[in-house]
Amino acid sequence: MASVLVVEDDPNVRTALIRELSARSHVVRSVGTAMDALREVTQSPPDVVILDLGLPDLDGAEVLKMLRGVSDVPVIIATARDDEPEIVRLLNAGADDYIIKPFSAEHLSARLAAVLR
């Protein structure tokens, strides 16, 4: 069981992620903005962050950069963006994994377990 922070602005996707992760015995917190994510990570660090790139206040790539400035918490990018150069850039910028939407709960669960190993 891990403490997971879901950073996702789409309420339907956020609800589905919370439901699936909770069903797998993870403790899940969620936020819909970059600034809330940064606040959560600094005030109550999770074991892992699942980060969408399309946030309303900042792009997720900027959030990743800011997170790396204050924490070494593992970050899994979960986004619809499937541009290979962007994937490589973000992995090199500090993301621990990158998963492209849509994905199954089993796929995310396996990646989460791998990052937490």
Side-chain angles (χ1 to χ4, degrees), residues 29-113:
R29 298 188 325 260
S30 69
V31 295
T33 68
M35 297 314 291
D36 288 339
L38 293 167
R39 188 176 308 107
E40 283 288 321
V41 168
T42 57
Q43 290 178 356
S44 182
D47 296 323
V48 65
V49 173
I50 298 174
L51 176 64
D52 182 31
L53 295 179
L55 299 172
D57 52 347
L58 286 172
D59 185 77
E62 287 300 313
V63 178
L64 175 63
K65 183 178 179 181
M66 295 167 98
L67 283 172
R68 285 295 163 247
V70 298
S71 175
D72 61 356
V73 64
V75 176
I76 299 173
I77 304 291
T79 185
R81 297 180 194 174
D82 62 355
D83 180 59
E84 185 173 341
E86 178 75 353
I87 294 168
V88 170
R89 184 180 74 77
L90 289 170
L91 288 169
N92 287 332
D96 295 279
D97 201 353
Y98 194 109
I99 187 170
I100 300 168
K101 295 176 186 174
F103 50 80
S104 69
E106 291 78 19
H107 188 165
L108 177 61
S109 184
R111 288 180 178 264
L112 187 61

Side-chain angles (χ1 to χ4, degrees), residues 3 12 17 29 55:
S3 168
N12 294 325
L17 287 171
R29 298 188 325 260
L55 299 172

Side-chain angles (χ1 to χ4, degrees), residues 1-2 19-26 104-110:
M1 174 171 66
R19 182 182 60 245
E20 292 298 333
L21 292 167
S22 295
R24 287 166 170 74
S25 300
H26 297 294
S104 69
E106 291 78 19
H107 188 165
L108 177 61
S109 184

